[in-house]
């Protein structure tokens, strides 16, 4: 599997995915305002939290076992049986407690929530299987289906007067179509489950479950806690939740490349580990980390100037309440560019226990800080909690990885990116103070000025210039097959 080519495929598809998702967020923000989104986002947040026991680590465990190439059919059959059982049990619990679920949402959405849970689990699991087959690039277009349906179906239903419920229906339809296409492309057969294969999956999955818990806490616990505080009138409002989540999603745009590479490298790291080729993993780490850094560092620099304008012009004036939170989250993405890759290394070399420890610690820090800081500072506190817990996670990942291999990070290249971003900041600041930024065109123009400035300076450094040239040469040739 060619990591760069597969990463490019994933990146292209995720650009389309993010474009669809981002356009939907812009349209829904302007049409509905921040408060209704403050109801939709908790629905998706709770869906993620409930997915933790419903999945129980089987997503990564299945991907790992299938990528190893040993009896994949029996592993898949066992994984399907286990996962279906977990989802069914969770759904029964949710149905019994549907009154509390409706109270949390402030609307009768419990049954729709259960249906969406089944559809989401089926769609996500199909992608795990395809990645386990080392067909990461083929998952690219499938990932576009859900946000595209959310945009098209959700907006159509909004026009018909469905309101927030229309957005949820659009998400549900996207999950269903994604599951259909994903399982249609899966080539691994399904054999009868066995107790031995269940033990194999669960032995890996119990640690993966901790990782998934940490991932969901990282992504959604702030929204859940904000929603609980709003429900009890402690702090913040539904509009604050909508504004904060829009800021979060805006910063995800700069993580596209890092996440694409991270998605690609895990099955390859797993294969190299099974072949006892750790040196190959060591050589790839700095090369896998650098492309993301080259994007997130200047993005943070630009956000310190344009945060309020980005939120106001893209979503509306009421979303500017999240300007400071947006800046903090943009800074956190620099740390995420590192730990998104290093985390995949730990899983890939079959050290699930050591992968779980830092995630568990950082998730605990995240949870505690979210409660304290949201209570004290609202959505800014939520952003700070994310930043601190991300730094804790990265520190522990580096510490554990150094017990097994030499870790080489692109420090010099990253430093030059910081120098280039600083020069870009000066230019953008001068331009910003000399003009008004009142429209999307003016915002795009000032962003373009920054991008050109950064690009011109960054290629002055020979190692980065050679790296970019090599990436371009590797990505451009078309496969002959």
């Amino acid at each position: 599997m060619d990591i760069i080519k597969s990463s490019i495929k994933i990146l292209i598809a995720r650009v389309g995915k993010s474009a669809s998702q981002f356009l939907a967020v812009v349209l829904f923000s302007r049409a509905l305002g921040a408060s209704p989104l403050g109801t939709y986002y908790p629905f998706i947040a709770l869906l993620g939290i409930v997915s933790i026991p419903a999945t129980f680590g089987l997503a990564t465990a299945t991907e790992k076992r299938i990528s190893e190439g040993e009896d994949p059919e029996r592993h898949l059959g066992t994984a399907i049986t286990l996962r279906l059982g977990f989802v069914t049990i969770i759904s029964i619990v949710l149905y019994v407690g549907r009154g509390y679920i409706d109270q949390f949402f402030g609307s009768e959405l419990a049954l729709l929530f259960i249906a969406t849970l089944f559809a989401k689990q089926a769609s996500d699991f199909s992608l795990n299987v395809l990645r386990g087959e080392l067909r990461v690039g083929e998952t690219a277009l499938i990932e576009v289906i859900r946000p595209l349906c959310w945009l098209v179906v959700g907006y159509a239903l909004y026009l018909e007067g469905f309101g927030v419920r229309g957005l949820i229906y659009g998400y549900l339809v996207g999950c269903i179509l994604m599951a259909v296409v994903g399982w249609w492309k899966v080539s691994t057969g399904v054999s009868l489950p066995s107790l031995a294969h269940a033990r194999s999956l669960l032995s890996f999955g119990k640690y993966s479950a901790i990782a998934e818990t940490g991932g969901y806490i990282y992504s959604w616990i702030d929204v859940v806690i904000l929603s609980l505080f709003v429900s009890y009138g402690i702090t913040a409002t539904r509009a604050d939740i909508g504004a904060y989540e829009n800021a979060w999603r805006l910063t995800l745009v700069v993580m596209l490349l890092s996440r694409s590479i991270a998605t690609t490298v895990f099955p390859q790291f797993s294969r190299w580990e099974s072949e006892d080729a750790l040196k190959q993993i060591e050589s790839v780490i700095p090369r896998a980390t650098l492309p993301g850094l080259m994007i997130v560092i200047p993005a943070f620099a630009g956000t310190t100037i344009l945060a309020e304008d980005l939120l106001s012009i893209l979503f509306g004036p009421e979303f500017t309440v999240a300007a400071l939170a947006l800046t903090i989250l943009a800074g956190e993405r620099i740390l995420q560019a590192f730990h998104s890759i290093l985390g995949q290394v730990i899983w890939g070399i079959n050290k699930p226990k050591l992968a779980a420890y830092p995630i568990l610690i950082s998730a605990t820090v995240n949870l505690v800080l979210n409660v304290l800081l949201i209570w004290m500072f609202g959505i800014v506190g939520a952003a700070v909690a994310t930043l601190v817990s991300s730094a804790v996670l990265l520190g522990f990942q580096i510490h554990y990885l150094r017990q097994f291999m030499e870790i080489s990070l692109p420090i010099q290249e990253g430093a030059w990116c910081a120098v280039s971003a600083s020069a870009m900041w000066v230019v953008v600041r001068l331009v910003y103070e000399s003009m008004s930024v009142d429209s999307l065109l003016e915002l795009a123009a000032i962003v373009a000025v920054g991008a050109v400035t950064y690009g011109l300076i960054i290629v002055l450094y020979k190692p980065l210039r050679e790296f970019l040239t090599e990436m371009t040469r590797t990505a451009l040739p078309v496969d002959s097959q």
Side-chain angles (χ1 to χ4, degrees):
M1 180 177 66
D2 190 307
I3 290 177
I4 292 181
K5 288 185 178 180
S6 294
S7 297
I8 293 297
K9 289 180 181 179
I10 292 288
L11 176 62
I12 292 172
R14 287 190 174 175
V15 167
K17 172 185 175 181
S18 295
S20 301
Q21 199 167 33
F22 193 72
L23 179 58
V25 169
V26 171
L27 289 176
F28 297 147
S29 297
R30 295 187 173 189
L32 298 174
S35 294
L37 287 177
T39 298
Y40 169 77
Y41 288 141
F43 182 96
I44 302 300
L46 189 61
L47 189 65
I49 298 298
V50 171
S51 294
I52 296 170
T55 303
F56 199 69
L58 289 172
T60 305
T62 304
E63 187 174 333
K64 171 65 175 171
R65 296 304 182 223
I66 291 178
S67 69
E68 290 173 342
E70 296 183 7
D71 203 3
E73 294 83 5
R74 187 64 63 88
H75 274 117
L76 179 55
T78 305
I80 291 174
T81 303
L82 289 172
R83 195 157 182 176
L84 183 59
F86 290 145
V87 176
T88 301
I89 293 171
I90 296 300
S91 297
I92 292 172
V93 173
L94 291 172
Y95 181 79
V96 172
R98 62 189 180 279
Y100 296 102
I101 302 298
D102 290 338
Q103 183 178 359
F104 177 80
F105 294 133
S107 181
E108 295 182 358
L109 296 172
L111 296 181
L112 182 57
F113 182 82
I114 293 171
T116 307
L117 175 64
F118 269 95
K120 184 178 187 299
Q121 290 294 306
S123 60
D124 292 348
F125 196 32
S126 68
L127 298 188
N128 291 124
V129 177
L130 287 170
R131 290 173 189 141
E133 296 174 347
L134 301 185
R135 297 164 61 195
V136 179
E138 295 183 40
T139 66
L141 291 177
I142 303 176
E143 291 189 18
V144 181
I145 295 175
R146 185 157 58 204
L148 190 60
C149 284
W150 184 49
L151 169 60
V152 176
V153 177
Y155 193 68
L157 292 177
Y158 156 73
L159 293 176
E160 293 296 321
F162 281 78
V164 175
R165 191 176 288 265
L167 274 62
I168 297 173
Y169 283 135
Y171 185 89
L172 174 59
V173 171
C175 288
I176 294 172
L177 291 179
M178 186 174 163
V180 170
V181 175
W183 285 107
W184 174 67
K185 291 182 72 67
V186 167
S187 61
T188 302
V190 179
S191 297
L192 291 175
S194 76
L195 187 59
H197 289 78
R199 290 197 187 100
S200 174
L201 288 166
L202 293 175
S203 66
F204 191 95
K206 63 184 178 183
Y207 299 111
S208 179
I210 297 176
E212 291 169 6
T213 301
Y216 283 122
I217 287 177
Y218 170 78
S219 299
W220 290 114
I221 197 63
D222 42 13
V223 173
V224 171
I225 294 175
L226 281 166
S227 300
L228 289 173
F229 279 13
V230 168
S231 299
Y232 288 97
I234 298 176
T235 186
T237 64
R238 290 285 175 186
D240 289 337
I241 297 173
Y244 176 80
E245 181 59 21
N246 274 17
W248 176 281
R249 294 187 175 216
L250 185 57
T251 62
L252 288 182
V253 173
V254 301
M255 288 302 301
L256 283 173
L257 185 55
S258 287
R259 290 189 167 193
S260 299
I261 294 173
T263 300
T264 303
V265 296
F266 171 73
Q268 185 62 72
F269 285 166
S270 177
R271 178 62 58 85
W272 282 337
E273 184 275 333
S274 66
E275 298 170 352
D276 198 25
L278 291 184
K279 289 296 181 182
Q280 288 183 273
I281 298 178
E282 291 175 358
S283 67
V284 167
I285 290 175
R287 296 170 59 80
T289 307
L290 182 56
L293 284 178
M294 295 172 67
I295 296 176
V296 295
I297 291 176
F300 168 64
T303 302
T304 61
I305 300 173
L306 300 173
E308 189 168 327
D309 299 283
L310 285 166
L311 292 169
S312 177
I313 293 173
L314 291 173
F315 307 124
E318 64 179 318
F319 290 86
T320 57
V321 66
L324 180 55
L326 172 62
T327 303
I328 296 170
L329 291 172
E332 185 274 336
R333 300 312 183 204
I334 298 175
L335 300 176
Q336 192 183 352
F338 285 106
H339 68 63
S340 62
I341 302 297
L342 296 183
Q344 297 294 63
V345 176
I346 301 177
W347 289 110
I349 63 175
N350 203 23
K351 302 295 179 183
K353 184 183 294 187
L354 295 184
Y357 285 158
I359 292 173
L360 182 61
I361 294 170
S362 66
T364 302
V365 171
N366 199 351
L367 177 60
V368 173
L369 287 181
N370 263 295
V371 173
L372 293 176
L373 297 180
I374 288 175
W375 177 60
M376 296 172 64
F377 305 109
I379 59 177
V380 173
V384 173
T386 300
L387 175 65
V388 174
S389 62
S390 187
V392 170
L393 174 59
L394 178 59
F396 275 100
Q397 284 178 335
I398 294 174
H399 170 71
Y400 284 126
L401 269 176
R402 282 179 173 167
Q403 298 178 17
F404 302 97
M405 61 176 64
E406 294 291 331
I407 301 298
S408 176
L409 297 176
I411 301 300
Q412 292 182 338
E413 292 85 351
W416 184 257
C417 290
V419 170
S420 303
S422 299
M424 179 204 76
W425 188 93
V426 173
V427 173
V428 170
R429 188 73 196 182
L430 291 173
V431 175
Y432 182 78
E433 291 178 352
S434 67
M435 63 179 287
S436 60
V437 183
D438 300 318
S439 67
L440 184 59
L441 182 61
E442 291 169 338
L443 179 63
I446 199 169
V447 170
V449 169
V452 170
T453 303
Y454 176 76
L456 290 175
I457 298 174
I458 205 170
V459 296
L460 295 177
Y461 186 52
K462 185 178 179 180
L464 283 176
R465 185 170 64 251
E466 292 177 345
F467 177 75
L468 288 171
T469 302
E470 182 182 354
M471 279 191 64
T472 303
R473 288 175 178 172
T474 305
L476 286 180
V478 180
D479 292 336
S480 58
Q481 296 179 346

